[in-house]
Amino acid sequence: MKKYSIALLFLIAIQIGFAQNDQLWKGYFSYNEIKDVSQSPAVFFAAAENALFSKNLNNNVLKTTNTVDGLSGQTITAIHHSTALNRTIIGYKNGLMIVINEADGSMINVVDIISNGVNQNLKKINHFMEYNGIVYVSCDFGIVQYNLATLGFGDTYRIGNGGAEIRVTQTAVFNGFIYASTSSGIRKASITNPNLNDYNQWTTLNGNGWASIETFGTELLAVAVWGEMYRFNGVAFVNFSNFPMATMDMRNSGGYLIVTIPNTVYVYNQSLALVAQVNSSAIPEMIPKFTCATIINDTIYIGTSENGVVTTTVSNPSVFEYMNPDGPALNNIFSINTSSDNLWAVYGDYTKQYDPNPFRYSGISKYRDNQWLNIPYSEVHFPGIDVVDLVRVTVNPKNENQIFVSSYYSGLVKFENDQLVTVYNETNSTLESISASDPPYANIRIEQSAYDKAGNLWMTNGLVADGLKVLKPDGTWLSYNTTAPFPNPIEGRFGKLVIDKNQTKWMCTINEGLVGFNENVTPNFRKIRTGAEDGNLPSNDVRVATIDNKNQMWIGTTSGLRVLSSVDRFLSADPLTTNAIIILEDDLAQELLFEQFINDIVVDGANNKWIGTADSGVFLLSPNGQETIYHFTASNSPLPSNVINDIDINGKTGEVFIATDKGMVSFKGTSTEASGDLGNVIVYPNPVRPEFEGTVKISGLLNKCNVKITDIGGNLVHEAIAEGGTIEWDTKAFGKYKVASGVYMIFISAQDGVETKVKKVMIIR
């Protein structure tokens, strides 16, 4: 008989690190949205949106695994741990599978299922069922066999009518037959039949849609998509119990049958008697939405959609504990703000047309001293005042404990010491709603605020005539009319805001280019737009403008990059003409980042440019843009996604934080801000041990200071001029060969030669 097979591509990739040194990367992921759970006798496993965590029940140690460790940033849909092989298999929405060897934590291989003639949208993995060493993978197109021991695929079963693709939600083996719950009936075939890839070998029992099927002792049970549970009597499935809503999960675990619906977990014993019921309404302080549950010994581990894992017991299902690794509230971080000691993250959003609908009712997250503080939505608004779509955080440069958060619907929100203090809106400030006739439904669009040198807090107020506002240090407010650059106020859709050394306020707009304003000069408004005579931008939709260490303005648009040679040009009569950066690629002149949608540009201490794009990852450019130092993507780095929402840098440590729509990671480079003296020079690691493969970093430097490294005999092996506050040494003698074991002297002198410092580093080969 002809076999209908599926073409499979094996991407065998031992996960020993990306091209960039993984020691430079760190992951900051949310573990709150639980997709699936699994277990061994001594370990509990939970799959969050795109990261894993496990708890060893013998020592209570929590372990996390994310993209820095080699996982994909795509959405996880299923997880299964094989106790027999001590391997964990993860399934993804896009059909990807990753196998982890739990013995050493390594990723053994990465497998991408690519099928001929199968719609790419039907590759989602719904469930894993292990039987006699074979894992049966339930997918949106059918069933795939996978041998977890040999790491090889077997047959593919497309069991819909006429061999069509059909969504399989779960499989179970019962009395010598394999059963599949599908979107159109329960399908059945002999498990020993060698021709199961022939749809004619499968028979259909009970039509309609089925959510799950499970073997439990001497019973075979199935749950319909509408929430009714059925028992198999040997011929057909007969109704056994009804649930008030559709089920999320059903499984056999710990000697119990566990059925999960969004607000309840039902636990049945071997006699199918209900022995425990966990109601979400009984959990103090919050009412979580349940997604799945399993049992190890007497403990019930319940996954939730927003609150991680909550535990209770079969014997006393009224006492609860939360079990979750530390992390931000959500993965889809819209923007971040770093100061010397804190990082703030917010989760608001708007469309590419600056429309905040649908609103995001999310809180704020703060990272400090290696710990996250997640302030829930319930604590970021006053009763009767909705505060939604929080899109930017501005830290008071004179008081790091005071922040202002822009809401793209509700105004400006002030926090002190992590507590809500004031919501500025049309009732207590000059901030204006889009329509003054609807105070109960005020729509006050504040995108970003920024401090000037005098301590004034400037902000844009979108879609109103007086679109530029300022909160002065004495608490008074001023407004500036923006109808000069925007003849029609409704076109005033502002993006990011930056203030230069001349106190010119530069405002990004959706269709008027980059608008500059300085209240102390005439004319006080000037624009940079498309067209050779108007500024030479590639698009009038400007998303970011950033000033580098040489007072050049780097402008990111939805169609590429431009550079203004100096921000001082605003104060002169010189045209505000920008230039593209032209590079040679394959011996052809090319425009750098041609037609790229640029979301953010950040300048580090060495004047390098970190550029985040809407769909192409992150580019790290040299100070003049002529060299691409790195191009980080989801395929060559721990970036969980190529959609870059925001980038910010901790100037003190040089850590570059990159927020994506799938989570946040950081890259620890050498681009720290220059110090004011040489009193805090640090050399690390020190000593350099044989297993270390990175570079020695010397931080706390003055800008342009000279660094010389010699061996103990005074022979020079390396010399560099600091650009910013840190340099790195590859432990090679002028880049040619690795130096021998020994103590090496580091001589540091300021550019003027007045201040000097001597440090030592020991290298052990």
Side-chain angles (χ1 to χ4, degrees):
M1 179 174 291
K2 184 178 179 179
K3 295 185 177 181
Y4 296 89
S5 61
I6 192 170
L8 302 167
L9 175 66
F10 299 83
L11 302 178
I12 301 174
I14 304 302
Q15 300 297 298
I16 56 176
F18 290 98
Q20 296 79 35
N21 190 336
D22 283 353
Q23 293 175 337
L24 300 177
W25 291 91
K26 188 174 180 180
Y28 301 87
F29 287 83
S30 172
Y31 297 87
N32 290 333
E33 185 180 351
I34 305 301
K35 297 293 188 177
D36 199 7
V37 294
S38 189
Q39 76 282 327
S40 73
V43 182
F44 166 75
F45 299 88
E49 179 184 4
N50 57 359
L52 310 179
F53 72 92
S54 61
K55 181 177 182 180
N56 188 309
L57 305 183
N58 293 326
N59 56 22
N60 291 322
V61 172
L62 278 177
K63 174 188 174 184
T64 60
T65 307
N66 53 52
T67 61
V68 175
D69 306 296
L71 289 185
S72 167
Q74 294 296 314
T75 300
I76 297 173
T77 51
I79 184 174
H80 169 73
H81 176 76
S82 171
T83 301
L85 296 172
N86 197 24
R87 291 176 175 175
T88 303
I89 184 169
I90 304 111
Y92 289 82
K93 185 177 181 179
N94 66 350
L96 183 73
M97 295 199 311
I98 294 179
V99 181
I100 302 175
N101 183 353
E102 296 294 344
D104 58 11
S106 64
M107 311 283 174
I108 297 175
N109 66 341
V110 179
V111 183
D112 185 13
I113 303 175
I114 300 178
S115 54
N116 289 331
V118 174
N119 189 313
Q120 296 297 302
N121 296 324
L122 299 179
K123 294 167 63 176
K124 176 187 171 187
I125 294 173
N126 299 312
H127 184 263
F128 296 111
M129 187 271 294
E130 184 178 359
Y131 179 77
N132 286 347
I134 301 296
V135 175
Y136 292 82
V137 186
S138 299
C139 305
D140 272 4
F141 62 83
I143 304 169
V144 179
Q145 280 189 342
Y146 185 71
N147 191 313
L148 199 53
T150 64
L151 305 175
F153 281 101
D155 288 332
T156 295
Y157 311 148
R158 285 182 278 193
I159 60 176
N161 296 335
E165 297 154 354
I166 190 172
R167 182 171 186 262
V168 179
T169 56
Q170 193 168 338
T171 58
V173 175
F174 182 72
N175 289 345
F177 288 87
I178 180 171
Y179 292 80
S181 55
T182 79
S183 56
S184 180
I186 294 175
R187 309 290 165 123
K188 169 188 175 182
S190 171
I191 190 65
T192 59
N193 189 326
N195 296 316
L196 289 182
N197 52 2
D198 175 14
Y199 69 91
N200 290 303
Q201 306 301 308
W202 296 75
T203 58
T204 302
L205 304 174
N206 299 65
N208 299 317
W210 295 86
S212 56
I213 191 165
E214 184 66 272
T215 301
F216 183 55
T218 60
E219 300 279 356
L220 179 66
L221 299 110
V223 176
V225 292
W226 52 87
E228 295 180 348
M229 185 161 67
Y230 291 77
R231 298 170 70 177
F232 187 56
N233 64 8
V235 178
F237 286 86
V238 296
N239 183 255
F240 168 69
S241 181
N242 297 325
F243 302 109
M245 57 184 69
T247 60
M248 305 295 292
D249 182 71
M250 179 176 69
R251 69 183 65 207
N252 174 359
S253 175
Y256 298 95
L257 181 74
I258 309 150
V259 179
T260 304
I261 65 174
N263 62 6
T264 310
V265 173
Y266 301 91
V267 180
Y268 299 87
N269 65 13
Q270 293 289 334
S271 301
L272 287 181
L274 184 65
V275 295
Q277 181 172 320
V278 183
N279 298 315
S280 62
S281 59
I283 300 178
E285 298 181 5
M286 59 186 68
I287 302 177
K289 179 182 177 182
F290 297 152
T291 58
C292 52
T294 192
I295 295 176
I296 306 176
N297 300 323
D298 185 54
T299 302
I300 309 174
Y301 297 84
I302 306 172
T304 73
S305 61
E306 295 180 346
N307 306 106
V309 173
V310 61
T311 66
T312 185
T313 62
V314 176
S315 56
N316 185 16
S318 59
V319 177
F320 303 95
E321 291 184 6
Y322 279 96
M323 183 185 73
N324 224 29
D326 196 29
L330 300 170
N331 275 329
N332 191 359
I333 297 174
F334 183 76
S335 73
I336 53 178
N337 184 299
T338 62
S339 57
S340 58
D341 295 320
N342 300 321
L343 178 144
W344 292 92
V346 288
Y347 308 97
D349 198 0
Y350 45 67
T351 67
K352 291 180 179 180
Q353 290 72 40
Y354 291 91
D355 183 356
N357 287 304
F359 299 131
R360 291 203 177 179
Y361 295 82
S362 303
I364 306 173
S365 296
K366 174 184 177 182
Y367 183 70
R368 179 185 177 92
D369 297 331
N370 297 315
Q371 290 185 321
W372 285 93
L373 169 68
N374 291 311
I375 304 172
Y377 171 73
S378 60
E379 296 181 19
V380 301
H381 71 285
F382 291 121
I385 302 178
D386 280 338
V387 178
V388 300
D389 274 302
L390 302 177
V391 293
R392 305 284 171 197
V393 174
T394 302
V395 180
N396 187 336
K398 296 181 179 179
N399 179 8
E400 196 167 331
N401 293 318
Q402 184 183 85
I403 65 170
F404 290 85
V405 185
S406 303
S407 165
Y408 209 63
Y409 182 78
S410 310
L412 186 69
V413 189
K414 179 180 178 181
F415 285 82
E416 288 186 1
N417 298 316
D418 308 330
Q419 301 293 319
L420 176 64
V421 175
T422 305
V423 178
Y424 291 109
N425 53 32
E426 79 286 0
T427 67
N428 58 359
S429 71
T430 61
L431 299 181
E432 299 174 69
S433 173
I434 291 176
S435 173
S437 63
D438 58 358
Y441 309 100
N443 189 338
I444 306 171
R445 299 191 179 184
I446 310 299
E447 209 285 344
Q448 188 170 32
S449 60
Y451 278 95
D452 65 15
K453 289 190 296 187
N456 299 306
L457 183 65
W458 293 81
M459 67 208 72
T460 52
N461 190 166
L463 302 179
V464 299
D466 295 336
L468 188 60
K469 312 290 187 181
V470 59
L471 173 59
K472 303 181 76 63
D474 62 6
T476 58
W477 288 80
L478 293 176
S479 299
Y480 291 88
N481 188 280
T482 52
T483 55
F486 301 104
N488 183 356
I490 198 170
E491 296 300 327
R493 301 187 186 187
F494 298 101
K496 294 179 179 179
L497 167 72
V498 64
I499 303 176
D500 69 22
K501 66 183 179 70
N502 303 314
Q503 304 309 294
T504 301
K505 276 63 70 175
W506 297 92
M507 297 166 280
C508 301
T509 76
I510 191 172
N511 52 19
E512 290 296 328
L514 183 64
V515 177
F517 169 78
N518 193 314
E519 68 275 23
N520 300 314
V521 300
T522 302
N524 50 23
F525 279 105
R526 295 185 71 183
K527 290 192 290 187
I528 304 175
R529 303 183 80 251
T530 57
E533 302 298 324
D534 295 322
N536 193 37
L537 291 183
S539 168
N540 285 326
D541 190 348
V542 177
R543 295 294 159 144
V544 60
T546 301
I547 303 160
D548 73 5
N549 299 344
K550 294 184 178 180
N551 288 312
Q552 294 181 319
M553 179 81 75
W554 291 66
I555 304 168
T557 78
T558 57
S559 297
L561 175 71
R562 289 293 185 270
V563 179
L564 180 67
S565 60
S566 173
V567 296
D568 294 339
R569 297 174 73 90
F570 183 93
L571 305 179
S572 69
D574 295 335
L576 296 178
T577 303
T578 64
N579 298 302
I581 295 177
I582 306 301
I583 60 173
L584 285 178
E585 187 173 306
D586 298 328
D587 294 326
L588 296 175
Q590 304 284 340
E591 180 182 314
L592 179 66
L593 300 177
F594 179 67
E595 292 189 347
Q596 288 282 351
F597 192 125
I598 298 172
N599 273 334
D600 202 16
I601 304 173
V602 180
V603 179
D604 65 24
N607 208 28
N608 298 316
K609 313 304 186 293
W610 293 81
I611 299 182
T613 67
D615 56 14
S616 300
V618 175
F619 294 83
L620 174 59
L621 306 180
S622 61
N624 62 5
Q626 289 296 317
E627 178 188 358
T628 299
I629 302 170
Y630 290 126
H631 178 200
F632 296 129
T633 67
S635 61
N636 70 6
S637 77
L639 277 181
S641 169
N642 289 330
V643 179
I644 310 302
N645 288 339
D646 204 15
I647 304 175
D648 208 0
I649 301 175
N650 186 313
K652 183 169 70 173
T653 65
E655 188 171 8
V656 181
F657 293 89
I658 305 169
T660 80
D661 64 335
K662 294 285 189 178
M664 184 170 71
V665 295
S666 70
F667 182 81
K668 187 66 176 293
T670 62
S671 302
T672 57
E673 293 178 351
S675 298
D677 55 45
L678 294 175
N680 297 307
V681 174
I682 298 174
V683 181
Y684 61 97
N686 192 7
V688 178
R689 302 191 182 278
E691 65 273 12
F692 182 71
E693 297 180 355
T695 58
V696 172
K697 296 174 179 62
I698 306 165
S699 65
L701 302 174
L702 292 165
N703 192 36
K704 303 297 183 183
C705 72
N706 179 266
V707 179
K708 294 182 179 181
I709 303 175
T710 72
D711 61 20
I712 200 68
N715 299 303
L716 186 67
V717 296
H718 185 73
E719 185 174 10
I721 301 296
E723 294 286 346
T726 302
I727 69 165
E728 56 183 334
W729 176 40
D730 60 5
T731 70
K732 293 180 179 179
F734 295 103
K736 295 181 179 179
Y737 57 87
K738 288 188 175 181
V739 297
S741 296
V743 175
Y744 290 80
M745 308 299 297
I746 303 172
F747 299 93
I748 306 164
S749 60
Q751 187 177 17
D752 56 12
V754 174
E755 191 170 359
T756 62
K757 194 78 171 180
V758 179
K759 304 290 284 186
K760 298 178 182 179
V761 60
M762 176 177 286
I763 295 179
I764 305 170
R765 295 300 186 192

